[in-house]
Amino acid sequence: MCKEERNEQGQMVMVERRYYVNSEFNEKLANDFCEWVDSIIEFDELYAETYPEEDLLPVVITISSRGGIVDCLNQMLDAIDDLYCPVITEVRGYAFSCGCFLFARGDIRIAGKNSRIMYHEILYNADGFLQEHKESLQESNYLMSNIDELITSRTEIPQSVLNQVKREKRNWFLTRQECLKYKLINFD
């Protein structure tokens, strides 16, 4: 899905409104994603000078990822929050860990009938002195709390269910029926 814009010479150029997240969440993915979002914002600001904001086309984020670094996910979520247009997230294949968290951020969330979505507690690793462990644990709890807030505010998954998954120290592979029941998939 592309939209036209004019370059400095007045020529029409296209802005791609679909982004594929098909790798691990790392700094390269986050930086590339943020550059893409910035190009969308720049175009939409130009477009909004002529047309009403409600006429802006949505962006589509297609996810097929096993997860990765939460801080990189947060960079991407912050960029999404700057968009003026609706955000469609779709899973093709799998959205595990950070992929699941990014999927939950969509205004419209779609998943293929064979797609798999997995939630789990973020991983915690720390070396060093006891104080470093305490600080890392505090930061990890903060990050996990933000992720749970994202999920519980955008779906009907209760915090008690997320807490149970964490207590059991397991990966929660949500069935399609669970995704629909809890409105993690909200467009079928």
Side-chain angles (χ1 to χ4, degrees):
M1 175 174 26
C2 292
K3 191 112 178 199
E4 295 180 355
E5 85 172 66
R6 295 192 183 275
N7 63 15
E8 293 174 10
Q9 292 77 35
Q11 301 164 317
M12 294 303 284
V13 294
M14 303 304 282
V15 175
E16 179 62 45
R17 297 186 77 87
R18 179 183 294 269
Y19 194 90
Y20 292 90
V21 175
N22 55 9
S23 67
E24 167 182 316
F25 284 71
N26 57 34
E27 289 178 7
K28 180 175 179 2
L29 171 66
N31 290 332
D32 291 348
F33 183 87
C34 289
E35 285 179 18
W36 171 74
V37 168
D38 288 345
S39 72
I40 298 294
I41 291 169
E42 185 178 331
F43 176 80
D44 285 355
E45 286 173 346
L46 291 171
Y47 185 81
E49 291 174 7
T50 310
Y51 301 98
E53 196 170 292
E54 60 269 9
D55 287 348
L56 294 174
L57 290 175
V59 297
V60 179
I61 303 167
T62 301
I63 305 164
S64 184
S65 175
R66 296 192 180 279
I69 301 169
V70 174
D71 290 322
C72 296
L73 165 72
N74 285 336
Q75 181 181 351
M76 295 165 70
L77 293 174
D78 286 344
I80 290 170
D81 288 343
D82 292 338
L83 287 165
Y84 302 109
C85 60
V87 176
I88 299 170
T89 52
E90 71 173 342
V91 177
R92 287 194 186 166
Y94 49 91
F96 299 164
S97 192
C98 286
C100 171
F101 311 149
L102 178 62
F103 178 61
R105 174 51 187 86
D107 300 311
I108 297 171
R109 298 179 298 276
I110 304 167
K113 66 178 183 165
N114 297 309
S115 295
R116 300 179 315 149
I117 300 169
M118 186 269 289
Y119 167 92
H120 67 176
E121 187 171 36
I122 64 172
L123 298 177
Y124 161 79
N125 291 315
D127 293 324
F129 296 103
L130 181 57
Q131 185 58 36
E132 292 171 302
H133 282 273
K134 290 177 184 177
E135 291 167 2
S136 291
L137 180 59
Q138 183 178 4
E139 180 62 17
S140 294
N141 284 332
Y142 170 76
L143 291 171
M144 193 73 244
S145 163
N146 286 346
I147 288 166
D148 284 356
E149 170 62 25
L150 168 72
I151 290 173
T152 58
S153 69
R154 300 188 73 79
T155 71
E156 293 183 7
I157 300 174
Q159 185 64 52
S160 59
V161 171
L162 299 179
N163 290 343
Q164 180 179 350
V165 170
K166 290 183 282 193
R167 270 193 312 275
E168 294 172 1
K169 299 177 185 148
R170 67 180 170 100
N171 295 329
W172 181 23
F173 290 91
L174 290 99
T175 65
R176 182 167 184 78
Q177 292 76 21
E178 288 172 316
C179 288
L180 291 167
K181 171 187 171 185
Y182 289 123
K183 297 195 178 9
L184 182 56
I185 296 173
N186 64 2
F187 189 84
D188 193 27

